[in-house]
Amino acid sequence: MENQDRKRLLIIDAALKRFAHYGLAKTTMTEIAKDIAFSKALLYYYFPDKLSLYVSVIEHMMHTISRDLIKSVEKTSTATEGILMLLQKRQAFTQKYYNLLEYTQMIGPELPEALYEKFQRARAFELKIITGLLTKGNTSGEFSIKDIPFTTEIFVEAVSGIHFNILNRARNIFPGKEQFKLIFLKEKRFAEIFLAGLKPAD
């Protein structure tokens, strides 16, 4: 079983590199197999098609990002620093895996159920981190928030709105790299203003 798990992980790592560099459409199962000196038959033994491999790659990537986010946020001393760190890390990962994530935007509402479930879990994870940081801020006296879950929802939806508005203006499905910079700058500035408004009145 351990050897099977190792082979599966080798395939996922090779696919992640290919998808991140070339995108899903321009990557073939043959190329992935060749990168790790596996036969195509062995590749198909673990993953019946490219989409199932892609879903596993997304899941693997999200686990990696989640671990890194938790470590980075835990090193911050205030809730405000933690939320700004989260936005910065999310931006860095999105740019790094730009070609990998682009596919999910192109297929839009036709997102396969398995993939949709992974992104829902990622969103729930982000909400949990932000809720935890706002709670931490309330406990330390950094913030004065009456309804933390509702405040978290407002924050996340407002940040998503920044992303959507920039894309809508440019009529793009997925942002270009320059747009990513603008999105992050606006997200960061919004977060600073929003979080300042949660501070207790003097």
Side-chain angles (χ1 to χ4, degrees):
M1 182 61 75
E2 188 179 326
N3 189 42
Q4 281 194 334
D5 289 343
R6 192 177 65 82
K7 284 180 179 176
R8 188 174 186 278
L9 195 55
L10 278 172
I11 295 167
I12 289 171
D13 282 337
L16 174 58
K17 286 172 189 168
R18 279 272 172 188
F19 293 155
H21 189 72
Y22 299 104
L24 184 73
K26 293 180 181 177
T27 299
T28 67
M29 295 289 268
T30 303
E31 288 166 337
I32 295 166
K34 190 176 177 183
D35 286 343
I36 47 177
F38 280 7
S39 68
K40 268 180 75 177
L42 184 60
L43 214 65
Y44 283 113
Y45 171 77
Y46 288 98
F47 301 99
D49 51 46
K50 193 163 65 168
L51 184 59
S52 66
L53 175 53
Y54 179 75
V55 170
S56 293
V57 165
I58 290 289
E59 183 175 36
H60 176 72
M61 182 191 74
M62 285 178 174
H63 280 309
T64 304
I65 292 170
S66 300
R67 284 195 303 269
D68 186 74
L69 268 178
I70 289 169
K71 282 182 187 175
S72 299
V73 167
E74 282 177 349
K75 288 177 185 174
T76 58
S77 55
T78 67
T80 298
E81 284 176 15
I83 289 172
L84 293 175
M85 174 62 74
L86 183 147
L87 292 177
Q88 183 182 324
K89 282 287 180 181
R90 188 179 65 177
Q91 180 74 4
F93 276 116
T94 306
Q95 284 196 277
K96 181 178 179 181
Y97 296 112
Y98 180 86
N99 289 328
L100 181 66
L101 296 168
E102 187 177 26
Y103 170 74
T104 65
Q105 303 296 323
M106 290 167 63
I107 54 179
E110 299 302 315
L111 209 61
E113 185 62 34
L115 207 51
Y116 176 77
E117 186 262 335
K118 300 288 181 287
F119 281 103
Q120 286 295 99
R121 276 169 55 189
R123 180 179 168 79
F125 172 77
E126 187 173 276
L127 285 168
K128 186 178 176 182
I129 287 186
I130 294 170
T131 300
L133 285 165
L134 293 181
T135 302
K136 173 187 172 182
N138 243 19
T139 305
S140 69
E142 181 184 352
F143 299 139
S144 177
I145 308 168
K146 290 181 181 176
D147 189 339
I148 290 174
F150 189 57
T151 304
T152 301
E153 282 180 26
I154 293 170
F155 178 79
V156 171
E157 285 169 11
V159 168
S160 299
I162 290 169
H163 189 106
F164 174 79
N165 283 334
I166 289 174
L167 294 192
N168 195 42
R169 245 191 345 261
R171 296 187 178 182
N172 286 355
I173 295 173
F174 200 65
K177 296 195 175 174
E178 285 307 308
Q179 286 177 306
F180 269 125
K181 290 179 186 174
L182 180 60
I183 288 168
F184 175 64
L185 284 173
K186 289 193 173 184
E187 283 179 349
K188 184 173 180 288
R189 186 65 188 121
F190 166 75
E192 288 167 347
I193 295 166
F194 184 91
L195 296 171
L198 298 179
K199 294 185 182 298
D202 294 329

PDB file of all heavy atoms in Angstrom, residues 80 83-85 87-88 90 155 159 162 181-195:
ATOM      1  N   THR A  80      -5.275  41.637  12.781  1.00  0.00           N
ATOM      2  CA  THR A  80      -5.150  42.430  11.546  1.00  0.00           C
ATOM      3  C   THR A  80      -3.994  41.913  10.698  1.00  0.00           C
ATOM      4  O   THR A  80      -4.144  41.702   9.487  1.00  0.00           O
ATOM      5  CB  THR A  80      -4.927  43.930  11.888  1.00  0.00           C
ATOM      6  OG1 THR A  80      -6.064  44.416  12.608  1.00  0.00           O
ATOM      7  CG2 THR A  80      -4.750  44.751  10.622  1.00  0.00           C
ATOM      8  N   ILE A  83      -4.963  38.562   9.015  1.00  0.00           N
ATOM      9  CA  ILE A  83      -5.853  38.661   7.852  1.00  0.00           C
ATOM     10  C   ILE A  83      -5.110  39.216   6.642  1.00  0.00           C
ATOM     11  O   ILE A  83      -5.278  38.731   5.519  1.00  0.00           O
ATOM     12  CB  ILE A  83      -7.106  39.505   8.202  1.00  0.00           C
ATOM     13  CG1 ILE A  83      -7.994  38.699   9.168  1.00  0.00           C
ATOM     14  CG2 ILE A  83      -7.898  39.865   6.940  1.00  0.00           C
ATOM     15  CD1 ILE A  83      -9.167  39.452   9.743  1.00  0.00           C
ATOM     16  N   LEU A  84      -4.248  40.201   6.853  1.00  0.00           N
ATOM     17  CA  LEU A  84      -3.455  40.743   5.742  1.00  0.00           C
ATOM     18  C   LEU A  84      -2.480  39.696   5.201  1.00  0.00           C
ATOM     19  O   LEU A  84      -2.248  39.613   3.996  1.00  0.00           O
ATOM     20  CB  LEU A  84      -2.695  42.004   6.193  1.00  0.00           C
ATOM     21  CG  LEU A  84      -3.576  43.219   6.524  1.00  0.00           C
ATOM     22  CD1 LEU A  84      -2.730  44.361   7.067  1.00  0.00           C
ATOM     23  CD2 LEU A  84      -4.378  43.685   5.307  1.00  0.00           C
ATOM     24  N   MET A  85      -1.941  38.873   6.108  1.00  0.00           N
ATOM     25  CA  MET A  85      -1.060  37.775   5.687  1.00  0.00           C
ATOM     26  C   MET A  85      -1.829  36.764   4.849  1.00  0.00           C
ATOM     27  O   MET A  85      -1.335  36.268   3.830  1.00  0.00           O
ATOM     28  CB  MET A  85      -0.454  37.092   6.921  1.00  0.00           C
ATOM     29  CG  MET A  85       0.376  35.841   6.611  1.00  0.00           C
ATOM     30  SD  MET A  85       1.814  36.180   5.566  1.00  0.00           S
ATOM     31  CE  MET A  85       2.883  36.996   6.753  1.00  0.00           C
ATOM     32  N   LEU A  87      -4.467  37.301   2.947  1.00  0.00           N
ATOM     33  CA  LEU A  87      -4.697  37.875   1.610  1.00  0.00           C
ATOM     34  C   LEU A  87      -3.430  37.814   0.762  1.00  0.00           C
ATOM     35  O   LEU A  87      -3.478  37.484  -0.424  1.00  0.00           O
ATOM     36  CB  LEU A  87      -5.164  39.329   1.733  1.00  0.00           C
ATOM     37  CG  LEU A  87      -6.554  39.557   2.346  1.00  0.00           C
ATOM     38  CD1 LEU A  87      -6.834  41.048   2.461  1.00  0.00           C
ATOM     39  CD2 LEU A  87      -7.652  38.879   1.534  1.00  0.00           C
ATOM     40  N   GLN A  88      -2.303  38.123   1.395  1.00  0.00           N
ATOM     41  CA  GLN A  88      -1.019  38.106   0.674  1.00  0.00           C
ATOM     42  C   GLN A  88      -0.666  36.698   0.205  1.00  0.00           C
ATOM     43  O   GLN A  88      -0.249  36.493  -0.937  1.00  0.00           O
ATOM     44  CB  GLN A  88       0.076  38.638   1.593  1.00  0.00           C
ATOM     45  CG  GLN A  88       1.445  38.749   0.929  1.00  0.00           C
ATOM     46  CD  GLN A  88       2.501  39.236   1.912  1.00  0.00           C
ATOM     47  OE1 GLN A  88       2.235  40.060   2.780  1.00  0.00           O
ATOM     48  NE2 GLN A  88       3.702  38.709   1.774  1.00  0.00           N
ATOM     49  N   ARG A  90      -2.742  34.157  -0.245  1.00  0.00           N
ATOM     50  CA  ARG A  90      -3.701  33.710  -1.261  1.00  0.00           C
ATOM     51  C   ARG A  90      -3.333  34.283  -2.623  1.00  0.00           C
ATOM     52  O   ARG A  90      -3.396  33.589  -3.642  1.00  0.00           O
ATOM     53  CB  ARG A  90      -5.112  34.145  -0.860  1.00  0.00           C
ATOM     54  CG  ARG A  90      -6.180  33.540  -1.765  1.00  0.00           C
ATOM     55  CD  ARG A  90      -7.556  33.958  -1.356  1.00  0.00           C
ATOM     56  NE  ARG A  90      -7.764  35.382  -1.517  1.00  0.00           N
ATOM     57  CZ  ARG A  90      -8.910  36.001  -1.286  1.00  0.00           C
ATOM     58  NH1 ARG A  90      -9.927  35.322  -0.838  1.00  0.00           N
ATOM     59  NH2 ARG A  90      -9.034  37.292  -1.466  1.00  0.00           N
ATOM     60  N   PHE A 155     -17.077  40.547   5.169  1.00  0.00           N
ATOM     61  CA  PHE A 155     -15.690  40.767   4.739  1.00  0.00           C
ATOM     62  C   PHE A 155     -15.356  39.928   3.500  1.00  0.00           C
ATOM     63  O   PHE A 155     -14.837  40.441   2.501  1.00  0.00           O
ATOM     64  CB  PHE A 155     -14.728  40.431   5.877  1.00  0.00           C
ATOM     65  CG  PHE A 155     -13.282  40.590   5.506  1.00  0.00           C
ATOM     66  CD1 PHE A 155     -12.690  41.840   5.465  1.00  0.00           C
ATOM     67  CD2 PHE A 155     -12.510  39.482   5.178  1.00  0.00           C
ATOM     68  CE1 PHE A 155     -11.363  41.995   5.101  1.00  0.00           C
ATOM     69  CE2 PHE A 155     -11.182  39.617   4.815  1.00  0.00           C
ATOM     70  CZ  PHE A 155     -10.597  40.878   4.777  1.00  0.00           C
ATOM     71  N   VAL A 159     -14.574  41.296  -0.337  1.00  0.00           N
ATOM     72  CA  VAL A 159     -13.299  41.002  -1.006  1.00  0.00           C
ATOM     73  C   VAL A 159     -13.555  40.312  -2.345  1.00  0.00           C
ATOM     74  O   VAL A 159     -12.928  40.630  -3.360  1.00  0.00           O
ATOM     75  CB  VAL A 159     -12.385  40.144  -0.093  1.00  0.00           C
ATOM     76  CG1 VAL A 159     -11.211  39.582  -0.867  1.00  0.00           C
ATOM     77  CG2 VAL A 159     -11.876  40.978   1.076  1.00  0.00           C
ATOM     78  N   ILE A 162     -14.544  42.817  -5.033  1.00  0.00           N
ATOM     79  CA  ILE A 162     -13.423  43.544  -5.642  1.00  0.00           C
ATOM     80  C   ILE A 162     -12.907  42.756  -6.847  1.00  0.00           C
ATOM     81  O   ILE A 162     -12.712  43.295  -7.936  1.00  0.00           O
ATOM     82  CB  ILE A 162     -12.290  43.764  -4.611  1.00  0.00           C
ATOM     83  CG1 ILE A 162     -12.735  44.775  -3.551  1.00  0.00           C
ATOM     84  CG2 ILE A 162     -11.007  44.238  -5.301  1.00  0.00           C
ATOM     85  CD1 ILE A 162     -11.804  44.877  -2.356  1.00  0.00           C
ATOM     86  N   LYS A 181      -2.277  42.099  -9.466  1.00  0.00           N
ATOM     87  CA  LYS A 181      -1.631  43.097  -8.606  1.00  0.00           C
ATOM     88  C   LYS A 181      -2.646  44.132  -8.132  1.00  0.00           C
ATOM     89  O   LYS A 181      -2.671  44.510  -6.963  1.00  0.00           O
ATOM     90  CB  LYS A 181      -0.492  43.790  -9.360  1.00  0.00           C
ATOM     91  CG  LYS A 181       0.716  42.898  -9.625  1.00  0.00           C
ATOM     92  CD  LYS A 181       1.783  43.663 -10.389  1.00  0.00           C
ATOM     93  CE  LYS A 181       2.930  42.735 -10.792  1.00  0.00           C
ATOM     94  NZ  LYS A 181       3.910  43.420 -11.649  1.00  0.00           N
ATOM     95  N   LEU A 182      -3.487  44.577  -9.061  1.00  0.00           N
ATOM     96  CA  LEU A 182      -4.504  45.574  -8.723  1.00  0.00           C
ATOM     97  C   LEU A 182      -5.520  45.000  -7.736  1.00  0.00           C
ATOM     98  O   LEU A 182      -5.918  45.671  -6.772  1.00  0.00           O
ATOM     99  CB  LEU A 182      -5.206  46.060  -9.999  1.00  0.00           C
ATOM    100  CG  LEU A 182      -6.309  47.114  -9.820  1.00  0.00           C
ATOM    101  CD1 LEU A 182      -5.744  48.378  -9.168  1.00  0.00           C
ATOM    102  CD2 LEU A 182      -6.963  47.438 -11.160  1.00  0.00           C
ATOM    103  N   ILE A 183      -5.930  43.763  -7.978  1.00  0.00           N
ATOM    104  CA  ILE A 183      -6.886  43.102  -7.077  1.00  0.00           C
ATOM    105  C   ILE A 183      -6.311  43.037  -5.668  1.00  0.00           C
ATOM    106  O   ILE A 183      -6.977  43.380  -4.689  1.00  0.00           O
ATOM    107  CB  ILE A 183      -7.247  41.686  -7.593  1.00  0.00           C
ATOM    108  CG1 ILE A 183      -8.139  41.784  -8.832  1.00  0.00           C
ATOM    109  CG2 ILE A 183      -7.940  40.867  -6.503  1.00  0.00           C
ATOM    110  CD1 ILE A 183      -8.305  40.479  -9.583  1.00  0.00           C
ATOM    111  N   PHE A 184      -5.053  42.610  -5.562  1.00  0.00           N
ATOM    112  CA  PHE A 184      -4.436  42.491  -4.239  1.00  0.00           C
ATOM    113  C   PHE A 184      -4.311  43.848  -3.548  1.00  0.00           C
ATOM    114  O   PHE A 184      -4.592  43.976  -2.354  1.00  0.00           O
ATOM    115  CB  PHE A 184      -3.071  41.823  -4.337  1.00  0.00           C
ATOM    116  CG  PHE A 184      -2.339  41.792  -3.023  1.00  0.00           C
ATOM    117  CD1 PHE A 184      -2.848  41.076  -1.951  1.00  0.00           C
ATOM    118  CD2 PHE A 184      -1.161  42.499  -2.845  1.00  0.00           C
ATOM    119  CE1 PHE A 184      -2.194  41.063  -0.726  1.00  0.00           C
ATOM    120  CE2 PHE A 184      -0.503  42.490  -1.628  1.00  0.00           C
ATOM    121  CZ  PHE A 184      -1.020  41.768  -0.566  1.00  0.00           C
ATOM    122  N   LEU A 185      -3.899  44.876  -4.290  1.00  0.00           N
ATOM    123  CA  LEU A 185      -3.763  46.212  -3.712  1.00  0.00           C
ATOM    124  C   LEU A 185      -5.094  46.709  -3.150  1.00  0.00           C
ATOM    125  O   LEU A 185      -5.162  47.259  -2.052  1.00  0.00           O
ATOM    126  CB  LEU A 185      -3.246  47.204  -4.766  1.00  0.00           C
ATOM    127  CG  LEU A 185      -1.754  47.121  -5.099  1.00  0.00           C
ATOM    128  CD1 LEU A 185      -1.418  48.031  -6.263  1.00  0.00           C
ATOM    129  CD2 LEU A 185      -0.911  47.498  -3.883  1.00  0.00           C
ATOM    130  N   LYS A 186      -6.167  46.476  -3.922  1.00  0.00           N
ATOM    131  CA  LYS A 186      -7.493  46.920  -3.472  1.00  0.00           C
ATOM    132  C   LYS A 186      -8.003  46.071  -2.302  1.00  0.00           C
ATOM    133  O   LYS A 186      -8.621  46.596  -1.371  1.00  0.00           O
ATOM    134  CB  LYS A 186      -8.481  46.896  -4.636  1.00  0.00           C
ATOM    135  CG  LYS A 186      -8.195  47.996  -5.657  1.00  0.00           C
ATOM    136  CD  LYS A 186      -9.348  48.177  -6.624  1.00  0.00           C
ATOM    137  CE  LYS A 186      -9.107  49.397  -7.504  1.00  0.00           C
ATOM    138  NZ  LYS A 186     -10.246  49.681  -8.394  1.00  0.00           N
ATOM    139  N   GLU A 187      -7.747  44.758  -2.352  1.00  0.00           N
ATOM    140  CA  GLU A 187      -8.143  43.880  -1.247  1.00  0.00           C
ATOM    141  C   GLU A 187      -7.441  44.311   0.043  1.00  0.00           C
ATOM    142  O   GLU A 187      -8.062  44.387   1.105  1.00  0.00           O
ATOM    143  CB  GLU A 187      -7.778  42.428  -1.553  1.00  0.00           C
ATOM    144  CG  GLU A 187      -8.701  41.729  -2.525  1.00  0.00           C
ATOM    145  CD  GLU A 187      -8.278  40.298  -2.800  1.00  0.00           C
ATOM    146  OE1 GLU A 187      -7.157  39.906  -2.402  1.00  0.00           O
ATOM    147  OE2 GLU A 187      -9.065  39.574  -3.415  1.00  0.00           O
ATOM    148  N   LYS A 188      -6.147  44.578  -0.069  1.00  0.00           N
ATOM    149  CA  LYS A 188      -5.345  44.962   1.100  1.00  0.00           C
ATOM    150  C   LYS A 188      -5.842  46.280   1.686  1.00  0.00           C
ATOM    151  O   LYS A 188      -6.020  46.408   2.896  1.00  0.00           O
ATOM    152  CB  LYS A 188      -3.872  45.076   0.696  1.00  0.00           C
ATOM    153  CG  LYS A 188      -2.916  45.379   1.842  1.00  0.00           C
ATOM    154  CD  LYS A 188      -1.469  45.304   1.342  1.00  0.00           C
ATOM    155  CE  LYS A 188      -0.490  45.598   2.472  1.00  0.00           C
ATOM    156  NZ  LYS A 188      -0.472  47.016   2.864  1.00  0.00           N
ATOM    157  N   ARG A 189      -6.079  47.253   0.812  1.00  0.00           N
ATOM    158  CA  ARG A 189      -6.536  48.559   1.298  1.00  0.00           C
ATOM    159  C   ARG A 189      -7.930  48.451   1.924  1.00  0.00           C
ATOM    160  O   ARG A 189      -8.201  49.037   2.973  1.00  0.00           O
ATOM    161  CB  ARG A 189      -6.557  49.570   0.139  1.00  0.00           C
ATOM    162  CG  ARG A 189      -6.881  50.990   0.577  1.00  0.00           C
ATOM    163  CD  ARG A 189      -5.790  51.551   1.484  1.00  0.00           C
ATOM    164  NE  ARG A 189      -6.160  52.828   2.073  1.00  0.00           N
ATOM    165  CZ  ARG A 189      -6.235  53.068   3.372  1.00  0.00           C
ATOM    166  NH1 ARG A 189      -5.966  52.125   4.246  1.00  0.00           N
ATOM    167  NH2 ARG A 189      -6.559  54.253   3.825  1.00  0.00           N
ATOM    168  N   PHE A 190      -8.803  47.679   1.266  1.00  0.00           N
ATOM    169  CA  PHE A 190     -10.149  47.479   1.825  1.00  0.00           C
ATOM    170  C   PHE A 190     -10.062  46.832   3.205  1.00  0.00           C
ATOM    171  O   PHE A 190     -10.743  47.249   4.148  1.00  0.00           O
ATOM    172  CB  PHE A 190     -11.005  46.613   0.897  1.00  0.00           C
ATOM    173  CG  PHE A 190     -12.251  46.103   1.585  1.00  0.00           C
ATOM    174  CD1 PHE A 190     -13.326  46.950   1.817  1.00  0.00           C
ATOM    175  CD2 PHE A 190     -12.320  44.794   2.047  1.00  0.00           C
ATOM    176  CE1 PHE A 190     -14.456  46.504   2.493  1.00  0.00           C
ATOM    177  CE2 PHE A 190     -13.434  44.337   2.723  1.00  0.00           C
ATOM    178  CZ  PHE A 190     -14.520  45.192   2.941  1.00  0.00           C
ATOM    179  N   ALA A 191      -9.216  45.792   3.316  1.00  0.00           N
ATOM    180  CA  ALA A 191      -9.073  45.078   4.594  1.00  0.00           C
ATOM    181  C   ALA A 191      -8.598  46.027   5.686  1.00  0.00           C
ATOM    182  O   ALA A 191      -9.104  45.984   6.821  1.00  0.00           O
ATOM    183  CB  ALA A 191      -8.098  43.914   4.440  1.00  0.00           C
ATOM    184  N   GLU A 192      -7.643  46.889   5.363  1.00  0.00           N
ATOM    185  CA  GLU A 192      -7.131  47.840   6.360  1.00  0.00           C
ATOM    186  C   GLU A 192      -8.248  48.774   6.850  1.00  0.00           C
ATOM    187  O   GLU A 192      -8.379  49.019   8.052  1.00  0.00           O
ATOM    188  CB  GLU A 192      -5.989  48.662   5.754  1.00  0.00           C
ATOM    189  CG  GLU A 192      -4.709  47.843   5.559  1.00  0.00           C
ATOM    190  CD  GLU A 192      -3.680  48.538   4.676  1.00  0.00           C
ATOM    191  OE1 GLU A 192      -4.024  49.536   4.013  1.00  0.00           O
ATOM    192  OE2 GLU A 192      -2.533  48.051   4.638  1.00  0.00           O
ATOM    193  N   ILE A 193      -9.050  49.286   5.900  1.00  0.00           N
ATOM    194  CA  ILE A 193     -10.151  50.189   6.259  1.00  0.00           C
ATOM    195  C   ILE A 193     -11.219  49.446   7.074  1.00  0.00           C
ATOM    196  O   ILE A 193     -11.701  49.932   8.105  1.00  0.00           O
ATOM    197  CB  ILE A 193     -10.780  50.811   4.984  1.00  0.00           C
ATOM    198  CG1 ILE A 193      -9.763  51.708   4.283  1.00  0.00           C
ATOM    199  CG2 ILE A 193     -12.042  51.588   5.322  1.00  0.00           C
ATOM    200  CD1 ILE A 193     -10.160  52.098   2.856  1.00  0.00           C
ATOM    201  N   PHE A 194     -11.586  48.249   6.594  1.00  0.00           N
ATOM    202  CA  PHE A 194     -12.635  47.447   7.253  1.00  0.00           C
ATOM    203  C   PHE A 194     -12.232  47.087   8.679  1.00  0.00           C
ATOM    204  O   PHE A 194     -13.011  47.258   9.630  1.00  0.00           O
ATOM    205  CB  PHE A 194     -12.870  46.173   6.425  1.00  0.00           C
ATOM    206  CG  PHE A 194     -13.988  45.299   6.924  1.00  0.00           C
ATOM    207  CD1 PHE A 194     -15.282  45.468   6.450  1.00  0.00           C
ATOM    208  CD2 PHE A 194     -13.745  44.283   7.845  1.00  0.00           C
ATOM    209  CE1 PHE A 194     -16.312  44.649   6.896  1.00  0.00           C
ATOM    210  CE2 PHE A 194     -14.769  43.466   8.300  1.00  0.00           C
ATOM    211  CZ  PHE A 194     -16.059  43.649   7.823  1.00  0.00           C
ATOM    212  N   LEU A 195     -10.989  46.597   8.839  1.00  0.00           N
ATOM    213  CA  LEU A 195     -10.531  46.154  10.150  1.00  0.00           C
ATOM    214  C   LEU A 195     -10.345  47.328  11.112  1.00  0.00           C
ATOM    215  O   LEU A 195     -10.588  47.193  12.309  1.00  0.00           O
ATOM    216  CB  LEU A 195      -9.225  45.354  10.012  1.00  0.00           C
ATOM    217  CG  LEU A 195      -9.350  44.041   9.221  1.00  0.00           C
ATOM    218  CD1 LEU A 195      -7.993  43.428   8.951  1.00  0.00           C
ATOM    219  CD2 LEU A 195     -10.274  43.046   9.912  1.00  0.00           C
TER     220      LEU A 195
END
